[in-house]
Amino acid sequence: GALGSLFLDLMSFRDIGLRRFISVGNASDIKISELIRYLAHDPDTRVLGLYIESVAEGRELIESLREFSLVKPVVILRGGRSSRGSRAALSHVAALSTSPRLVDGVLRISGVMQTYTIREFLASLEALEKLEKTSSLERIIAITNTGGMGVLISDALDTNGIDLIDFSDDLLRELRSFIPPYMSIGNPIDLSGDASTERFREVFKTLVKHRPDLLIIINQPQTSAMDTENFVLFAEELRSYLKDLRILMLVSGGEYAQSFASRLRRIGLPVAEDPIELVAMIKSLRKEPIKGIKVIDL
């Protein structure tokens, strides 16, 4: 439907690769679980993004999602979670949504990534389309050229139980050897608004030697010192590290910043547009163990 057209538009804008797009409407002659099992065996499908408004299939749907999650990531955006949304779903697809708390609980232990906004949904798909999930995502470091965004990122991560690591004395001494004394070298590392691409590059090369699990690079291109053309060349260098190091970018702003972010996406880097999207990306990359469950009919 129309929402699917919006997803296609946003996926194109965010440079997310698309294998197949399927809209089942009222699902009168086909089951979502059948499609999920088909896509699980499609070698060119790497990630499943699913928008649903009801779980009328109950056991079949949950079991197919669990089977898919064992081999490939699943990201779900679910409508009809509130009583009013459930009534809207009934008038829309003639299917009454099941108890939100019950469905949330069953989906959580089925190994899927649940999102609650379109932006979180698309950001998670973008991260998973470009990077692999991992069970090791503890050593997270952030670099920023804007202290304010560093604070907002720290708040968002902490609120969601995501920790930035404390630096060792050796790393602090190494960073301080070339970082001016007026710049903070906590985590996030605040390069300040006069940071050029070269400052990002120098810090990056130092951090790589200490093998972080995830590196967050916050670049607000509106700063006068940011030489965006050189940074795009630096991003090409970053791409060569993606097999061994997960890198997430954060670029916020209007038309100028969005154009810059699009160039980074085309290189192959996932780009969040705000702290909420960044949190969704990190959560999507965490590989959680899928527990053995007894599925009940919904």
Side-chain angles (χ1 to χ4, degrees):
L3 186 61
S5 298
L6 172 62
F7 292 152
L8 291 174
D9 186 22
L10 291 172
M11 289 180 72
S12 175
F13 177 74
R14 300 184 74 126
D15 202 51
I16 301 172
L18 179 67
R19 167 61 173 164
R20 297 190 188 279
F21 172 77
I22 306 170
S23 178
V24 300
N26 288 0
S28 60
D29 61 351
I30 191 169
K31 294 181 179 179
I32 296 176
S33 56
E34 294 173 332
L35 296 169
I36 292 172
R37 289 194 167 98
Y38 166 74
L39 294 171
H41 297 286
D42 176 19
D44 293 316
T45 298
R46 295 188 57 228
V47 184
L48 173 64
L50 180 63
Y51 171 73
I52 55 175
E53 293 175 357
S54 68
V55 286
E57 297 173 40
R59 178 191 296 270
E60 287 182 287
L61 178 61
I62 299 302
E63 288 185 344
S64 66
L65 285 172
R66 184 173 184 272
E67 291 168 12
F68 194 104
S69 296
L70 290 171
V71 291
K72 302 173 185 179
V74 181
V75 181
I76 286 184
L77 175 62
R78 189 162 65 83
R81 299 182 69 253
S82 67
S83 58
R84 188 173 295 275
S86 180
R87 290 196 298 272
L90 177 61
S91 65
H92 182 211
V93 296
L96 188 64
S97 297
T98 309
S99 163
R101 291 181 63 186
L102 175 60
V103 178
D104 283 351
V106 174
L107 290 176
R108 189 175 301 113
I109 57 178
S110 296
V112 306
M113 167 71 180
Q114 292 191 76
T115 59
Y116 303 99
T117 67
I118 292 174
R119 295 186 70 173
E120 290 175 303
F121 180 60
L122 270 296
S124 299
L125 292 179
E126 181 178 338
L128 289 167
E129 192 258 345
K130 292 177 170 63
L131 302 175
E132 298 289 338
K133 290 175 75 75
T134 177
S135 55
S136 177
L137 205 58
E138 303 302 321
R139 294 176 51 79
I140 302 176
I141 298 175
I143 311 170
T144 178
N145 64 347
T146 163
M149 185 61 80
V151 172
L152 293 175
I153 290 297
S154 299
D155 285 342
L157 296 180
D158 188 66
T159 300
N160 287 274
I162 301 171
D163 295 324
L164 297 171
I165 64 168
D166 294 325
F167 292 157
S168 67
D169 290 339
D170 287 342
L171 177 55
L172 288 172
R173 279 193 294 269
E174 195 170 351
L175 290 170
R176 184 54 76 193
S177 68
F178 61 85
I179 289 180
Y182 62 85
M183 289 165 48
S184 168
I185 52 172
N187 194 4
I189 301 173
D190 183 4
L191 302 184
S192 80
D194 65 355
S196 63
T197 295
E198 190 53 40
R199 189 176 293 171
F200 274 98
R201 180 183 280 110
E202 197 168 9
V203 172
F204 173 79
K205 289 183 176 179
T206 299
L207 295 178
V208 165
K209 293 184 292 185
H210 292 262
R211 305 184 66 82
D213 297 324
L214 172 67
L215 184 62
I216 301 165
I217 301 179
I218 305 162
N219 186 345
Q220 291 309 133
Q222 300 91 340
T223 60
S224 59
M226 177 40 54
D227 44 339
T228 53
E229 293 301 321
N230 285 334
F231 195 91
V232 170
L233 295 176
F234 173 50
E236 294 276 7
E237 298 173 30
L238 294 177
R239 182 174 57 182
S240 65
Y241 288 87
L242 288 181
K243 285 189 176 181
D244 302 310
L245 171 62
R246 287 159 186 82
I247 300 172
L248 295 177
M249 296 289 307
L250 187 143
V251 178
S252 295
E255 184 177 351
Y256 176 67
Q258 289 177 8
S259 175
F260 177 57
S262 292
R263 297 179 69 183
L264 299 177
R265 287 182 175 121
R266 287 195 293 271
I267 289 169
L269 295 171
V271 183
E273 296 185 3
D274 59 29
I276 294 174
E277 285 193 5
L278 181 68
V279 167
M281 285 184 170
I282 295 173
K283 287 183 175 180
S284 71
L285 293 173
R286 279 183 165 172
K287 184 184 292 184
E288 303 290 347
I290 301 176
K291 302 174 183 178
I293 60 173
K294 179 179 179 180
V295 178
I296 61 174
D297 286 321
L298 301 176

